[in-house]
Every structure is written in structure tokens, then in C-alpha cells.
Amino acid sequence: MAIITIASPMRAPALPNWLRLETVVIATAIGALVILVVLPVLSLIAASVWQDGRLTGEFFAEALTGRSYLRALGNSLILGSWTGLISVLIGVPLAWAVSRTNVPGKGLIQVTATLSYLSPPFLTAIAFVNLFSPNAGVINVFLRDVLGLDIGFNIFTMSGLVFVTVLHTFPFVYLLSSSALQSVDASYEEAAQILGASKLRTALTITLPLVAPAVLSGTLLAFVNAIALFGSQAIIGLPGRIVTLPTRIYSLFDYPPQFGTASALSLMFIAITVAALYLQRAFLAKRSYVTLAGKGARPQLMDLGPWRWVLFAACVVTFIVAILLPYGSLIAVSFSKSWGLDFWHNLTLDNYRFVLIDYDVTRRAIVNSLGLAILAATACVFLGAMISWIDVRTTMPGRKLLDYASLIPLGLPGIVMAVALLQFWLSMPVSLYGTFAILLLAYVGRYVPLGVRAANSSLRQIDPSLEESARILGASWGQTMKEITLPLIKPGLFAGWLLVFVPVIQELSASILLFSSNSITLAVAVYNLYETGYTEPVAALAIINMIIIATAIGIARRFGGSRLGMKTGASGNSRPGVMG
């Protein structure tokens, strides 16, 4: 019997391990994370305790004892606490209405939450200043001069600042709570009602405790976002003499800059975030929130009877206040020669012509922001995919530490990230201050957690045997990634790209410290125009900002596939970003 010999396919000589593509990618991902996150944070710590070649506690002593700093700290804590509480009072009932009741207009609630999350907070602040500033706010003028009512709303107060901030933060609570409510086993609620519990008692004693982790996670996100937002605190707080930590840190960069004190205050920011996270985990650790069912029964929607219209009316009011009023006022102001009650007699397109054609600063800012957002989103997605692959697909020692390091920026407000980058790069022989490079580093470093989370959740949904089969059949690591892995996780990568692009376009708190005349961004241009009193062009630029965001979402959805969207689960695998 003849013996048939099958020749093995010719293989290229094996490269040394340190030259293999996957080794280069791993080294690049680790090096990028160290440069983007670890070294700037270490520089921030060093700057807060080091002066003239010696250790010192002077900066922390000043930050913890100075009256102006303590007042800023107190205002930030008040703002964060009230914002978190009111976000729960709005977000949880809306989530319960959508997930558990027969309230009409559920799509309206979803649109309200999504648009509120996507709306830049500083633009919302500008919109409500146009409406409720004490002397020139159009609603105050209407009440005073037309109706003759001695009623005035002053937006430049702590309550006004909390109000504007809540409009951006309640979606965090809503999104997390609604996701949790859809996952909870409904049989517990049905059993309680069979045993005679009222609908209200069932909601308070059964449903709410089971979704407590999601509610607390949303509250924590609302709190952290509230204390970190620079734009709304500068636009509303400063005219009302309400100084917060972000605005106080910003003031320390007037000449001569006080880097040490700014670093100490920035670390206080991080300490507040860590303390809030610790309190949340300590509370949740006291009880178990696990349900026994492997898959929750589909909940039977609660019939509210006539009360569903009361709840629907509350949802409509939320839509009017959160979306219709700010967007409507910005659109109206953008088409006005001079904003006021005589709107229909002074319509014009001059404001759009000014910001798009006549004023070169805004044209440059739009181009800069688009370029930086595209580059930052692409870099975050690429780096996130590599870090997630290391975590999910390798057994490399320290891979979990790498994943944890990538999450550090979630607790860093934009202005803190800017201070950290300034401290690090000013000590380097390469001068990056005021360049596109330092803005890009700030954006990538700050939003890389979103890219990591998006890629991580997508990779975990793919069976590793698909990649193993390709490697067994002779495909290289690069071919396997190109032909198998990346196509399968494409929807998740597009979702991560979008989650980075949107906040970068509207980022203000880091950009305000890092920009120069050549690298000015769209958000900084809006803020500078507002500071110089160009109310109508500011509104036109704000509408252009939102058009860019809406266009990006449409394009990303078109090319990302049907799975693309903002997915937010109670487990935290994907979460909204922290905007400045």
C-alpha cells in the first residue's frame, strides 16, 4: 500500500518574542497608559508635597485651612449632595414609570433623558441665564414689564446652580435604574401583591431595595459629575459669588500660577470621589441584593388608572424644563439681532454668518474640535481594544492592574486632569503647553476608560474558540485580529467611539487651562464669547455644537450597525461618561 505524505505548509521563521506584533502592541498599550495616566497623576502628587527640593505640607495646609478654599470645598459638597438627591427624586420615578407602569409617552421620557445627557452643561447654563438672569432674563422681563408681577427668578444662586446641574445629572440615575428594573425578577413583586401588599408598599419595600445598587451608582455618578463641571459653575456660580473647587483651581492659574496649591486642591477632588465610592460600597456590603431566579419573569405593567395622566404630565413638565426651554431659548437667541421680547421683529441670520464666516476664531475652533474629537475617539477605541484584549485574552501577570489603571481617569475631573498634565509636561524637555498634542493627550487620557469598557464588554461576548481556531489553521495574531476579532466587536467599538467623541466636542474644564490661540476649541470659544458679552453669536455657536453632535451620532449609528447605542447596565460594564 502506497504511503501518501502531505507536506506541511511553509512557515516563515519565527520572530523573537520581543519583535512579535502582539508583543509590540502589548508594550505600546502599557507605555501609552503609563504616559497618559500614571505619570501625570504621580506628577500631581509630587507637586503637592515637593517644593524647592524638599518635602513640604505647606500646600495641603493652605488648601485645608484657607478660608476661600474651605468655602469652595463646602460649596462643592453642597452642590454635589443636593444634585445627587434631586437626581434620585427625578430619575427613579421616571425609570419606574417607564419600566413598571402603563404611563403613556414612554418614548418622550427616553428622549428627554438621552438629550439631557448629551446636552453640554455649560450651554444649558447659558440658556437659563438668557431666560432667568435677574435684570435681562426674558421670562423675568416678561413677568415684570408685561404682566406687572413683582416676581423675579435669580439664576445666579446656589439653587439656580443645582437646578441647572440636575438637568444634566438625572439621566445617570434614570439610565441605571431603568436597566436594573428591567432585570429584576418580577415574581417578587407579584408575590407581594398576592399577599395583600399595596402597589405603593410593593414599590417601596420590594422593588426599590432590589435596585438600590443601581440607584446608588447613579447617585454617585451624579455627585461626581456635579462637583466636576467647570462651565456651569463658572457661568452661574461666579456672577453669584459662589466659588467651587473647579473655579477656585482655575483662578490659581492667574499670573503667577500656584501649581502646588492647585495640585493639593486637585487631590482633594480625588479624595472626595474615593470617599463617596467607599461609602457606597460600605452601604451595599451590609445586605444582599441577589435574586434567586436565573431569569426574571417579564413584569406585568402596573395599571395606574387616572393617575397615569398625572405621571405623564410630570414627564411632560420634565421635557419642557430640561429640553424645550433651553433648546428653544438658544434657537431663538441665535436668530435674534438683540435678544428680548420683541423677537419677531429682529430675526436675522447674521449670528450664524459671524461665527461661520466672519470670525476666524470660531472657524478655527470648529475645525480644531472636530479634528481633536476624531483623533481622540479613535485613539481611545484603539487603546481600549488593546488593553481589553490583554485583560480578557491573555494570562499576562499584572493585567488586572492594567485594567484598574485605565479606570483611574473616571474619578478625575477635567480640570484635575489638566493640572496633572501641566505638572508632568512642564517638567519634561519637550514643550507641549498650548499645543494640539497636550489637548489630545488630555482627551485620550481622560476618556480612555470609555474605550476600555466598550471593548471589554464586547470581547467578553465573543467565544475565544473562534480566535483559537484561526490560530490553529495558521493565521498570525494580526490576521486573527483583522479578520475575526475586530469585525465581531465593531458595534461595541463604534459605541465606544461615539461615547468619546461626544464629550470631547463639548469638553471645557480641561481645555480652559490647556488651549492657546492656535489650539482653541469649540467649547472654549463659546465660553470666551459669552464672557465678552456676545450673547447672540454664543447661541448660534451652541446650536452648531449640537448639530455636530447629532450628526456624529447619526453617522456612527449608520456605520456601527443596529447594536450601536448608549447601553448602560447596573453592572457597570458600560456607563455614561463624565463631561466637563
Side-chain angles (χ1 to χ4, degrees):
M1 183 174 63
I3 298 176
I4 300 175
T5 303
I6 300 176
S8 300
M10 294 295 293
R11 294 178 180 268
L15 292 172
N17 284 337
W18 63 275
L19 277 180
R20 294 170 63 185
L21 180 59
E22 55 264 47
T23 306
V24 174
V25 167
I26 291 174
T28 302
I30 295 174
L33 197 60
V34 169
I35 293 174
L36 289 169
V37 178
V38 178
L39 291 180
V41 171
L42 292 178
S43 297
L44 186 71
I45 296 172
S48 66
V49 296
W50 192 264
Q51 184 183 31
D52 299 330
R54 60 180 178 84
L55 288 173
T56 179
E58 176 184 342
F59 301 127
F60 276 104
E62 184 179 1
L64 293 172
T65 59
R67 181 175 299 178
S68 63
Y69 303 124
L70 291 177
R71 184 168 65 250
L73 174 61
N75 286 336
S76 288
L77 293 176
I78 292 171
L79 172 64
S81 300
W82 277 110
T83 299
L85 175 62
I86 299 175
S87 295
V88 170
L89 296 179
I90 296 175
V92 172
L94 289 180
W96 177 74
V98 169
S99 304
R100 286 290 194 268
T101 74
N102 64 338
V103 66
K106 294 182 179 182
L108 180 67
I109 301 174
Q110 295 279 12
V111 169
T112 301
T114 301
L115 290 180
S116 295
Y117 168 71
L118 294 176
S119 299
F122 66 94
L123 295 185
T124 304
I126 290 173
F128 278 99
V129 168
N130 293 333
L131 292 171
F132 293 112
S133 63
N135 299 320
V138 69
I139 291 181
N140 284 337
V141 172
F142 178 78
L143 293 173
R144 183 178 64 243
D145 297 348
V146 177
L147 299 183
L149 298 176
D150 189 18
I151 300 175
F153 300 95
N154 185 4
I155 196 68
F156 301 120
T157 60
M158 176 60 80
S159 57
L161 181 56
V162 169
F163 168 75
V164 170
T165 307
V166 165
L167 296 182
H168 173 67
T169 58
F170 85 84
F172 296 127
V173 179
Y174 167 81
L175 291 168
L176 289 167
S177 300
S178 61
S179 178
L181 282 166
Q182 292 168 13
S183 303
V184 167
D185 189 351
S187 62
Y188 291 93
E189 299 163 305
E190 295 169 358
Q193 292 184 28
I194 291 172
L195 293 174
S198 65
K199 296 176 181 179
L200 179 61
R201 184 178 181 184
T202 301
L204 294 177
T205 60
I206 303 296
T207 310
L208 187 59
L210 287 175
V211 299
V215 173
L216 286 177
S217 295
T219 307
L220 176 63
L221 283 173
F223 176 86
V224 171
N225 272 263
I227 66 174
L229 296 174
F230 169 80
S232 54
Q233 294 175 28
I235 291 166
I236 292 178
L238 292 183
R241 297 186 177 182
I242 302 170
V243 180
T244 58
L245 280 179
T247 55
R248 193 70 186 90
I249 291 173
Y250 177 67
S251 69
L252 292 174
F253 286 88
D254 291 336
Y255 188 82
Q258 302 177 49
F259 290 109
T261 307
S263 300
L265 286 175
S266 298
L267 289 173
M268 288 173 59
F269 246 127
I270 299 174
I272 292 172
T273 303
V274 171
L277 181 61
Y278 173 79
L279 291 175
Q280 178 207 23
R281 292 192 174 185
F283 178 82
L284 295 178
K286 296 178 181 179
R287 312 181 49 177
S288 173
Y289 300 89
V290 178
T291 58
L292 296 177
K295 183 177 180 181
R298 184 176 180 85
Q300 182 178 1
L301 296 181
M302 187 179 297
D303 185 4
L304 298 178
W307 286 100
R308 71 183 186 276
W309 297 108
V310 176
L311 189 55
F312 175 69
C315 297
V316 172
V317 169
T318 303
F319 173 78
I320 292 173
V321 173
I323 304 301
L324 198 58
L325 276 179
Y327 277 82
S329 69
L330 287 174
I331 292 172
V333 174
S334 71
F335 287 108
S336 301
K337 292 179 182 177
S338 179
W339 175 237
L341 295 178
D342 195 18
F343 172 69
W344 297 108
H345 292 85
N346 64 356
L347 292 176
T348 183
L349 291 173
D350 288 346
N351 299 315
Y352 288 94
R353 185 179 64 190
F354 174 75
V355 298
L356 290 174
I357 300 173
D358 297 340
Y359 192 40
D360 67 314
V361 173
T362 52
R363 294 202 314 270
R364 187 165 63 247
I366 292 171
V367 173
N368 289 346
S369 287
L370 279 173
L372 285 167
I374 292 171
L375 289 174
T378 304
C380 285
V381 166
F382 175 79
L383 185 57
M386 295 304 99
I387 293 173
S388 299
W389 180 82
I390 294 170
D391 179 29
V392 177
R393 291 290 194 264
T394 74
T395 57
M396 187 184 76
R399 64 187 186 280
K400 293 299 180 184
L401 184 62
L402 186 68
D403 185 58
Y404 293 146
S406 71
L407 297 180
I408 290 175
L410 281 178
L412 298 179
I415 202 162
V416 173
M417 197 71 185
V419 174
L421 283 170
L422 282 174
Q423 292 290 353
F424 176 66
W425 287 107
L426 287 177
S427 63
M428 295 290 105
V430 181
S431 178
L432 293 183
Y433 180 70
T435 65
F436 290 100
I438 197 167
L439 284 169
L440 183 60
L441 289 170
Y443 298 156
V444 175
R446 189 178 181 205
Y447 296 113
V448 70
L450 302 181
V452 172
R453 292 299 93 194
N456 192 291
S457 59
S458 296
L459 273 173
R460 290 184 184 279
Q461 294 175 341
I462 297 173
D463 192 340
S465 63
L466 297 174
E467 299 161 297
E468 293 169 1
S469 298
R471 298 301 295 272
I472 290 171
L473 293 174
S476 66
W477 180 85
Q479 289 174 317
T480 303
M481 290 293 290
K482 179 182 177 182
E483 303 294 337
I484 304 294
T485 310
L486 292 179
L488 289 174
I489 65 174
K490 183 184 74 170
L493 295 183
F494 267 102
W497 191 94
L498 182 63
L499 285 174
V500 176
F501 181 91
V502 170
V504 169
I505 278 287
Q506 58 195 36
E507 210 288 328
L508 176 62
S509 53
S511 307
I512 199 72
L513 288 181
L514 301 175
F515 84 99
S516 66
S517 58
N518 289 327
S519 61
I520 189 171
T521 64
L522 185 55
V524 175
V526 171
Y527 181 74
N528 286 347
L529 280 175
Y530 176 80
E531 286 288 283
T532 52
Y534 287 88
T535 303
E536 292 77 20
V538 162
L541 202 54
I543 298 302
I544 292 170
N545 188 322
M546 295 309 300
I547 291 173
I548 292 172
I549 292 173
T551 303
I553 293 173
I555 293 174
R557 284 183 178 274
R558 170 68 178 81
F559 290 99
S562 59
R563 288 178 57 199
L564 179 59
M566 185 191 303
K567 297 180 180 180
T568 309
S571 63
N573 287 338
S574 178
R575 64 169 68 181
V578 179
M579 297 183 193

